[in-house]
Amino acid sequence: MTTTTGGRRKQIHLAAHFPGVNNTTVWQDPDSGSQIDFSSFRHLARTAERGRFDFFFLAEGLRLRERKGLIHDLDVVGRPESLTVLNALAAVTEHLGLAATVNATFNEPYELARRFASLDHLSGGRAAWNVVTTSDTFTGANFRRGGYLDRADRYLRAEEFVEVARALWDSWPADGAPRTVRHTGPQFGITARATVPHSPQRHPVLIQAGDSDEGREFAARTADVVFSRHGTLEAGRAFHADVKRRLARYGRQPDELKIMPGVTFVLGDSEAEAQERAAHLRRQQVSPQTAIAFVENVWGRDLSAYDPDGPLPDLDPVPDSDVVQGWAHAGDRFGIAAKWRALAEEKHLSIRELAIEQTARQSFIGTPATVAATIDEYVQTDAADGFILVPHLTPGGLDEFVDRVIPLLQERGTFRTEYEGPTLRDHLGLARPGGEGRHERAASTPAG
């Protein structure tokens, strides 16, 4: 483990996730605001910038989720397109990075490279792209070609997508005319000239969130930031070591990739108060309806007749069910059901109690001093390079953290008191890509 970098304590990286389609957000709280009004996005972004966060992060929703053929009414109904929101936020922020999740399965490299280069210009070098993929036909039905890709092919498309986008970003030098990019590959064949010159960062920061072996390899080869789900200390250290170890295969150094798990937080004036608030919050987040919906996702059955405060169903799951659509695949339904039954029996858990335990995102719970110390410990002992905070309220859920925890991290000397550069790459300590090296791809060589 490393606790210093060149004699200096490691600096913590923080980002703010705008809450969205998940059970983290507490919709019924009186302080919960709109998911669509621009004022909500502006408030959270400005709070993050006041706290000197690295970037503001938006997830993506390409189709509303359904249950039993109906729109799932526990989700937020509607979500504006991410890049449109971030372009608007560029005008009301000065330093904060602006990260959008955009799917590589349902877009085309030329158009998306152009849109991100435009955001990078408009924001003065603060754009980031969270590269995601989708293999399900439910979402793909919204797109002309159906959008379907076998699971094994989706990372191949994503890798080639990024390859072409980088060739386009590199094709217009600052002191010359745009060159033609000619690319022929399994997924794409284009002959194009970029419509905008090099943006301030040259390449927007690339974020990746996959956790499979293919996802980890893709991150080591391609990403600048990993949005990890490994939030516990031991799991975080193992993931951090594994992904950083892979970087050498691609001629990269450990500090060229930042690992930032998504986490929540609950603060209190005492440890007991924080724990009490956290328990209350989890019961708000996992309502009886949410608990039943969560179990239905594995069982593939209509379980609305079951008591959420009662035991798990004694029925077997349905392997290929269309009861729930637009949700993450449950994987081995029988294996998961057996695991949950064993856990519920061991701990005497009801359906709702099991859902609360299984859906809990890694949280920092305690007084501001305890939370600051814990965050610092994770970063100094290589369990993470920082965190993407997911507040439970929109838009004011980050306010307390910025007011009470950030000053303590600054006192420790492990979090900035001022931004040190204008671009997101400056905030993250990442070099601006050059015109040569790993960012040049043989299959996409710009030609005059």
Side-chain angles (χ1 to χ4, degrees), residues 123-137:
S123 65
R126 296 185 279 137
W129 171 23
N130 181 37
V131 186
V132 297
T133 65
T134 300
S135 59
D136 68 88
T137 55

Side-chain angles (χ1 to χ4, degrees), residues 275-293:
Q275 291 295 338
E276 183 178 345
R277 289 182 66 185
H280 175 68
L281 178 61
R282 289 301 293 140
R283 291 192 68 81
Q284 288 183 292
Q285 291 170 324
V286 183
S287 66
Q289 303 97 311
T290 298
I292 292 296

Side-chain angles (χ1 to χ4, degrees), residues 45-56:
R46 284 180 166 173
T47 301
E49 186 164 75
R50 178 166 61 85
R52 306 298 189 264
F53 278 42
D54 290 28
F55 60 90
F56 173 92

Side-chain angles (χ1 to χ4, degrees), residues 16-19 40-49 56 391 395 398:
H17 187 298
F18 188 85
S40 291
F41 296 101
R42 181 178 57 213
H43 180 102
L44 188 65
R46 284 180 166 173
T47 301
E49 186 164 75
F56 173 92
L398 195 64

Side-chain angles (χ1 to χ4, degrees), residues 406-427:
I406 290 296
L408 300 178
L409 294 175
Q410 292 169 334
E411 288 177 10
R412 287 172 169 267
T414 54
F415 192 73
R416 67 173 66 89
T417 56
E418 296 294 340
Y419 289 105
E420 297 177 359
T423 73
L424 178 53
R425 290 185 175 275
D426 292 325
H427 307 342

Side-chain angles (χ1 to χ4, degrees), residues 315-353:
L315 303 170
D316 286 332
V318 177
D320 299 311
S321 169
D322 61 358
V323 168
V324 292
Q325 293 184 294
W327 297 64
H329 295 295
D332 176 11
R333 294 180 187 271
F334 291 92
I336 295 172
K339 179 181 176 182
W340 286 2
R341 281 194 180 113
L343 180 63
E345 182 177 350
E346 176 189 351
K347 294 189 175 183
H348 308 289
L349 301 177
S350 67
I351 290 175
R352 189 178 184 190
E353 289 167 341

